[in-house]
Amino acid sequence: MKVGILGATGYTGQELLRILNQHPEAQVVYLGSSSSAGKSYEEIYPHWNGSNYALSEEEVPEVDVLFAAMPHGITAQRAEGLLQRGIKLIDLGADFRLVNYQEYESWYKTQHASPHLLQHAVYGLPELYRDEIQGKGLIANPGCYPTASLLALVPLLQKQLIKNDPIIIDAKSGVSGAGRGIAQPLHFAEVNENFKAYGVGEHRHTPEIEQQLSKAANEKVLISFTPHLVPMNRGILATIYVQPYEGVGEEDLRNTLAEAYEQEEFVHLLPKGTWPQTKYAYGSNHAFLQLKFDQRTGRAILVSAIDNLIKGASGQAVQNMNILFGLPETMGLGTKGLWP
Amino acid sequence: MKVGILGATGYTGQELLRILNQHPEAQVVYLGSSSSAGKSYEEIYPHWNGSNYALSEEEVPEVDVLFAAMPHGITAQRAEGLLQRGIKLIDLGADFRLVNYQEYESWYKTQHASPHLLQHAVYGLPELYRDEIQGKGLIANPGCYPTASLLALVPLLQKQLIKNDPIIIDAKSGVSGAGRGIAQPLHFAEVNENFKAYGVGEHRHTPEIEQQLSKAANEKVLISFTPHLVPMNRGILATIYVQPYEGVGEEDLRNTLAEAYEQEEFVHLLPKGTWPQTKYAYGSNHAFLQLKFDQRTGRAILVSAIDNLIKGASGQAVQNMNILFGLPETMGLGTKGLWP
Amino acid sequence: MKVGILGATGYTGQELLRILNQHPEAQVVYLGSSSSAGKSYEEIYPHWNGSNYALSEEEVPEVDVLFAAMPHGITAQRAEGLLQRGIKLIDLGADFRLVNYQEYESWYKTQHASPHLLQHAVYGLPELYRDEIQGKGLIANPGCYPTASLLALVPLLQKQLIKNDPIIIDAKSGVSGAGRGIAQPLHFAEVNENFKAYGVGEHRHTPEIEQQLSKAANEKVLISFTPHLVPMNRGILATIYVQPYEGVGEEDLRNTLAEAYEQEEFVHLLPKGTWPQTKYAYGSNHAFLQLKFDQRTGRAILVSAIDNLIKGASGQAVQNMNILFGLPETMGLGTKGLWP
Amino acid sequence: MKVGILGATGYTGQELLRILNQHPEAQVVYLGSSSSAGKSYEEIYPHWNGSNYALSEEEVPEVDVLFAAMPHGITAQRAEGLLQRGIKLIDLGADFRLVNYQEYESWYKTQHASPHLLQHAVYGLPELYRDEIQGKGLIANPGCYPTASLLALVPLLQKQLIKNDPIIIDAKSGVSGAGRGIAQPLHFAEVNENFKAYGVGEHRHTPEIEQQLSKAANEKVLISFTPHLVPMNRGILATIYVQPYEGVGEEDLRNTLAEAYEQEEFVHLLPKGTWPQTKYAYGSNHAFLQLKFDQRTGRAILVSAIDNLIKGASGQAVQNMNILFGLPETMGLGTKGLWP
């Protein structure tokens, strides 16, 4: 299986290469980069010393699957040509996640270059849409915050155990989620020993989460979503506050999540009382869930943890590739998280 | 003014000493410690090299004010004797924060040794209760999470701008909030590069916050309160979700907070769009607030940041001391936060 | 190939399991733990949720190879019985690293329980002693600081390019090197935002390094070795100051290291001017080297970086296992370091 | 006393303002900034909310003392005009540290704009040159690494207790030492969980240290100096390896340092066995020293710790100001380090 990566020097691009480099069935034959074309990969990332990967901005060669790890807007411009060549396209960006291109244009403040392709894309969250992914040519790999949030919420909404309002997602991410680009707020000394909220009420993952929750609930869902920056490299933890319907208790919620994921290799509802930590997922494709029904307030609290670069990006993309090509879903993704 | 500290080797005890050692009107004459009695202070904290402080477990000498920075339960046992000697007592622990001793016993799972003193205690949040603090003998210095939460919420409830349900406080704290005692979950390698929730639905600051919010709202308030552990030493950030009453807009909320704190030296409502970061408060007694009314959901989001050891503990205790003795409130507390 | 681990709940034990769990030829059949016997592995490490490993303190069953990841002293007591059963023993502790048991007893301040076995042990640094490792029954897996130091120094001493005095090794380690046990100096808040030297002139890896350097130089070598604690979880960086012989220049040193490692998969002399960072090795079995001859002082400076838990412990142990059983040396160890 | 700061938005500029804002005798009347002129200070640093400082690029007004916290090269251009106006100039940059302008031009790769002023400058390390500082108009405030290194070494060289070769300084710094400017290697995710050497054999503090050591030894001294980047915001720790003369023992070294600093408020030789940690100095103007004579190798190891932004920059600058104006040297600098 021949594989290419567009945007190979970003954090998700590099993580894709790390995983695919070890994948028994994948051979990485193309690493696209506009900024570093012509350089060897180890010039950018010296820990790849001894590998023979080179960066190119030439036309994508014949590959079976291409991962696009690029800023939003660019993949939409290039997708049609690639799909016409029969290349499976797994987009780690946002261009094909929102079914409604106007919503995309409103939140991303740019025109969508190929809205007609949206109907051909599938939202690549395997635990929810495994069947639809198989055989597709265009996979919209979910965002990191949506992955963490949806794994916890979708089964509960599908079973109508919780109301669709209020749903409050208070999410916290390591800094790699902001990408490799430099900026004053990402200077080490301004992030370290610091914690803050950002994009309050305006983060672009909001409509992506709402779209999927609305689909699950079968009615329009609006959420409060607040992301925060944690002084660490990797990991997302989402703390979610929901209102169960009258008569719904903790065991109903727990059983629903347990059933939803009992066959899943990567999603773990932890034993009662054990709360997820982002480090459980560090360097792995695993996700961890826990919940509690708070008798005092009648609300339930859900916590979900993933590695934002793996289950929240590159690992999930490889999981999607495995599904596309009929491979075992865990191939190349078997490792447990690093501890400590 | 002669000052003593009970529990002088804990993090809040040491922070008290650091502040009082620089205070123009305070002379620290007693450092109580059961575990390290007989040692010099610099044996425990070598950066105090050259100071002449010694630790003692002898009877508290004649002091004007005594700070108690001890595990809950102990101060309640010793308070009466101290108060009878005319010593002003500022308790940084939880023993005198809850007016209802049964609630204390239920959340802290221990008997209260002196419930009859509760009526003599005042909740030492100066920005709310400055007038009541003056002249009191027993100050219950607020908890760190409550300080951050109440500064944001109380004025809004007092003015009846927000409903008393739902109020969701998603709070994040640096590790010093857990104290100096050692434990597996506080091992550096298990906290670093990690983020987690803890005490979900069970944290003891919950009734303390609810008591004060209920007082402000003039009716019983129940909250969802979830604390999290951030891989940093200092700082609390509380992200708070509330429901304004119909017709209440962002400017109403903003104006109310602005008015509440316009005369305050330590509490800052930041300019619109500038969101608090815990580092703004690092090493200082300052608190920072921001809010947003989210048109989409009709909810408002408030963010509050303090240094948990200073405005959330020792700095606020010194602020209370200044009030008790008619000194300028900022005396000894003038520094801005360390950056970076 | 059946594999067991003694001391399976420590950091190196857990890292062994993580690697072996993915190893195509290894089947972990025994996880020994005295403190947690009877528990499932996921009770200790919840991120192993869904695995079926259990901890036991029963007799080691029939295994082909046993990894001992225990405090020093214990493996020496148990080694003979295990070896007599034909079990290959890879000791990640210090008991069989020093050929002179009196030196062991002097530095470790304990009696050696089986000095007669020392002659049967081989020092398991594959890049130096690959041939001796094959067919051995008892492998003394090197310490983390020695691994980083020896990879840089041994080839230069063997070729007599540098003097055997002064050799100054200023080494810096992440906190996982101190193990999982709790202690005041490992409390997150006392390590974070802090940097210090420890064990100055007294660290137990000193004689281990000196033994191997003396062997390479063919004369007694004494070093200055100072370890430091870095506020991070993983990684060792050793900065080494040496005195080349008259007439020896940078290219001589560089060529010697280049030749020594040109066939090695795991050891990388980086291109001139690219200095190792511990993160290059993070989560991988790779080691990175660089050097500079300083014309001004006539001294050379070497820098070496590894992941202390992998090339400095568990990864190297698996590398040794691969050698013992005639497997490709990189089996199960192929991943590049995590970035970022 | 009217005070101005040139370069007020950098980390050392901001730290100067933080200290001077609390200084009983200083009134900050001018904050110079070319990049942010016209803005209020709190626009750049929101934690200064409520202060009234504004940034200006206008001519420096009448001040008694001006601190220059600017990139090297610029202060040398502006110094003469300022000095002619009778303004005391304390330069936190490198322009007046090296007495030999050719050495400056060689290491800093730029022409020196006012070499004739070098003879009027004094190297502002108060513990060594207090008497020379009084009455001077131009103070070259020492670099951070030199401050840490010289405090440990100068008294030993002055007393001829150690040889002038080898002297090896292996130094480690927090990230604020690199300044506030953004760059890929300062991106949080590339520094965090990472440790590296940089500028090996080429760092510009090398000639500054050598100049002062040569002066103390009364002969030319060449050193090996290697700086490293620690994933923390503040702090420098220097580990120094020296060769005492025959017959010199640990007590000779210890007594010499003890005597040198026994009257000093800011420099602490710690009790035997207690090794400096950077956190001891965090947020304070204090410096901490320790040493050990290693019998095995005949070498001595010295460790020195400071806060790079305070004793290594802005605090020391204020200490110099206090000396210049005949104030108590500790004025405005009394705080102990923050713990934790």
Side-chain angles (χ1 to χ4, degrees), chain B residues 13 17 26 71 81 107 115 133 157 160 241 247 285 292 301:
Chain B
L17 181 57
W107 282 85
I133 293 166
L157 282 167
Q160 301 192 305
Y241 302 86
N285 199 50
K292 177 170 193 161
I301 301 154

Side-chain angles (χ1 to χ4, degrees), chain B residues 219-287:
Chain B
E219 56 180 340
K220 182 70 186 165
V221 175
L222 290 179
I223 61 167
S224 290
F225 170 62
T226 312
H228 299 75
L229 194 66
V230 187
M232 62 183 187
N233 285 5
R234 287 170 177 246
I236 281 182
L237 191 117
T239 311
I240 305 172
Y241 302 86
V242 297
Q243 181 70 57
Y245 280 104
E246 202 107 332
V248 172
E250 180 160 319
E251 288 315 301
D252 302 309
L253 302 171
R254 176 171 298 280
N255 291 341
T256 297
L257 289 181
E259 263 176 52
Y261 300 120
E262 69 186 343
Q263 304 296 327
E264 296 293 341
E265 294 277 351
F266 293 126
V267 184
H268 306 265
L269 177 64
L270 291 174
K272 206 166 174 166
T274 299
W275 289 86
Q277 308 185 6
T278 58
K279 199 196 282 290
Y280 291 170
Y282 205 91
S284 87
N285 199 50
H286 293 272

Side-chain angles (χ1 to χ4, degrees), chain C residues 126-185:
Chain C
E127 287 78 7
L128 301 182
Y129 299 119
R130 184 171 285 119
D131 296 345
E132 297 178 44
I133 293 166
Q134 285 165 340
K136 276 282 179 177
L138 176 56
I139 312 289
N141 209 59
C144 49
Y145 287 123
T147 296
S149 305
L150 297 171
L151 289 173
L153 285 167
V154 164
L156 306 182
L157 283 167
Q158 284 176 334
K159 283 243 184 157
Q160 301 193 306
L161 298 180
I162 59 172
K163 298 183 184 172
N164 68 8
D165 186 78
I167 295 178
I168 290 167
I169 302 174
D170 192 280
K172 299 88 176 174
S173 175
V175 180
S176 62
R180 195 171 171 244
I182 59 176
Q184 193 70 53

Side-chain angles (χ1 to χ4, degrees), chain B residues 58-134:
Chain B
E58 288 175 28
E59 187 52 53
V60 176
E62 286 316 303
V63 294
D64 297 296
V65 57
L66 185 72
F67 295 90
M70 316 239 282
H72 67 267
I74 300 178
T75 308
Q77 289 167 25
R78 302 182 59 175
E80 180 136 32
L82 293 160
L83 293 171
Q84 282 176 345
R85 291 172 56 195
I87 295 171
K88 304 271 191 187
L89 182 60
I90 300 176
D91 182 17
L92 285 84
D95 289 0
F96 299 103
R97 292 178 190 158
L98 299 182
V99 296
N100 181 333
Y101 80 93
Q102 287 154 320
E103 197 163 26
Y104 174 89
E105 295 185 345
S106 153
W107 282 85
Y108 287 86
K109 297 180 174 34
T110 186
Q111 221 183 326
H112 197 293
S114 48
H116 62 289
L117 292 177
L118 287 168
Q119 57 179 313
H120 302 298
V122 60
Y123 191 71
L125 194 47
E127 288 79 9
L128 301 182
Y129 301 119
R130 184 171 286 121
D131 296 344
E132 299 179 42
I133 293 166
Q134 285 166 340

Side-chain angles (χ1 to χ4, degrees), chain C residues 240-314:
Chain C
I240 306 173
Y241 302 86
V242 297
Q243 182 69 59
Y245 279 105
E246 201 107 335
V248 172
E250 181 160 318
E251 287 316 301
D252 302 309
L253 302 170
R254 177 171 297 281
N255 292 340
T256 297
L257 289 181
E259 264 175 52
Y261 300 120
E262 70 187 341
Q263 303 296 326
E264 296 294 341
E265 294 277 351
F266 293 126
V267 184
H268 306 267
L269 177 64
L270 290 174
K272 205 166 174 166
T274 300
W275 289 86
Q277 308 186 6
T278 58
K279 199 195 281 291
Y280 291 170
Y282 205 91
S284 87
N285 199 49
H286 293 272
F288 297 89
L289 302 175
Q290 186 52 281
L291 66 85
K292 176 169 193 163
F293 183 91
D294 182 3
Q295 302 286 355
R296 297 173 63 257
T297 61
R299 277 187 287 271
I301 300 153
L302 297 148
V303 172
S304 173
I306 60 170
D307 182 319
N308 58 300
L309 287 180
I310 306 189
K311 185 62 179 169
S314 306

Side-chain angles (χ1 to χ4, degrees), chain A:
Chain A
M1 211 160 63
K2 289 185 176 167
V3 178
I5 300 171
L6 282 175
T9 63
Y11 287 156
T12 52
Q14 197 272 160
E15 189 70 340
L16 275 166
L17 181 58
R18 190 181 67 85
I19 296 169
L20 292 166
N21 188 53
Q22 291 288 101
H23 191 285
E25 298 291 335
Q27 186 194 358
V28 180
V29 299
Y30 175 77
L31 296 177
S33 167
S34 51
S35 59
S36 304
K39 294 191 177 169
S40 71
Y41 203 69
E42 58 186 286
E43 279 178 84
I44 308 301
Y45 286 115
H47 65 293
W48 283 84
N49 179 270
S51 68
N52 289 313
Y53 294 112
L55 292 157
S56 162
E57 55 178 348
E58 288 175 30
E59 187 52 54
V60 177
E62 286 315 303
V63 295
D64 298 295
V65 58
L66 185 71
F67 295 90
M70 315 240 282
H72 68 267
I74 300 178
T75 307
Q77 289 168 23
R78 303 182 58 175
E80 180 135 35
L82 294 160
L83 293 171
Q84 282 175 346
R85 292 171 55 194
I87 294 171
K88 304 271 192 188
L89 182 59
I90 300 176
D91 182 18
L92 286 84
D95 288 359
F96 299 103
R97 292 178 189 157
L98 299 182
V99 295
N100 181 334
Y101 79 94
Q102 288 154 320
E103 196 163 28
Y104 173 90
E105 296 185 343
S106 152
W107 283 85
Y108 286 86
K109 298 181 174 31
T110 187
Q111 221 183 325
H112 197 293
S114 48
H116 61 289
L117 292 178
L118 286 168
Q119 58 180 313
H120 302 296
V122 60
Y123 191 72
L125 193 48
E127 288 77 9
L128 301 183
Y129 301 119
R130 183 171 287 120
D131 296 344
E132 298 179 44
I133 293 166
Q134 285 165 342
K136 276 281 180 177
L138 176 55
I139 312 288
N141 210 59
C144 49
Y145 287 122
T147 297
S149 305
L150 298 172
L151 289 173
L153 285 168
V154 164
L156 306 182
L157 282 167
Q158 285 177 332
K159 283 243 183 158
Q160 301 193 304
L161 298 179
I162 59 173
K163 297 184 184 170
N164 68 9
D165 186 77
I167 294 179
I168 290 167
I169 301 174
D170 192 280
K172 300 89 176 175
S173 174
V175 180
S176 62
R180 192 171 173 243
I182 59 176
Q184 194 68 54
L186 299 180
H187 187 298
F188 177 84
E190 312 221 344
V191 174
N192 185 47
E193 281 294 280
N194 199 359
F195 186 87
K196 64 171 178 179
Y198 68 97
V200 180
E202 300 172 356
H203 195 280
R204 289 161 170 175
H205 285 174
T206 308
E208 182 181 340
I209 298 170
E210 289 179 346
Q211 169 183 288
Q212 295 298 322
L213 296 184
S214 299
K215 190 169 168 182
N218 228 343
E219 55 181 343
K220 183 69 185 164
V221 175
L222 290 178
I223 60 168
S224 290
F225 170 62
T226 312
H228 299 75
L229 195 67
V230 187
M232 62 183 187
N233 284 6
R234 287 170 177 247
I236 281 182
L237 190 117
T239 310
I240 305 172
Y241 302 86
V242 297
Q243 181 69 59
Y245 280 105
E246 202 110 332
V248 173
E250 180 160 320
E251 287 316 300
D252 302 307
L253 302 170
R254 177 171 297 280
N255 292 340
T256 296
L257 290 181
E259 263 175 52
Y261 299 121
E262 71 187 342
Q263 304 295 329
E264 296 295 340
E265 294 278 350
F266 293 127
V267 184
H268 306 267
L269 177 64
L270 290 174
K272 204 166 173 165
T274 300
W275 288 87
Q277 308 185 7
T278 58
K279 199 196 280 290
Y280 291 169
Y282 205 92
S284 88
N285 200 49
H286 293 272
F288 297 89
L289 302 175
Q290 186 55 281
L291 66 85
K292 176 170 192 162
F293 183 91
D294 183 4
Q295 302 286 354
R296 298 173 63 257
T297 61
R299 277 188 286 271
I301 301 154
L302 297 148
V303 172
S304 173
I306 61 169
D307 182 320
N308 58 301
L309 287 180
I310 306 189
K311 184 62 179 169
S314 306
Q316 185 144 272
V318 173
Q319 189 180 353
N320 278 316
M321 179 192 80
N322 287 339
I323 294 173
L324 283 181
F325 291 88
L327 302 170
E329 220 163 293
T330 58
M331 186 175 277
L333 297 168
T335 190
K336 296 287 180 185
L338 281 190
W339 191 278

Side-chain angles (χ1 to χ4, degrees), chain D residues 19-40:
Chain D
I19 297 169
L20 292 167
N21 188 53
Q22 289 289 100
H23 192 284
E25 298 290 335
Q27 185 194 0
V28 180
V29 299
Y30 175 76
L31 296 177
S33 167
S34 51
S35 59
S36 304
K39 294 191 177 168
S40 72

Side-chain angles (χ1 to χ4, degrees), chain C residues 41-62:
Chain C
Y41 202 69
E42 59 186 286
E43 280 179 83
I44 309 300
Y45 286 116
H47 64 294
W48 283 85
N49 179 271
S51 68
N52 288 312
Y53 294 113
L55 293 155
S56 162
E57 57 179 347
E58 288 176 29
E59 187 52 53
V60 176
E62 286 317 302

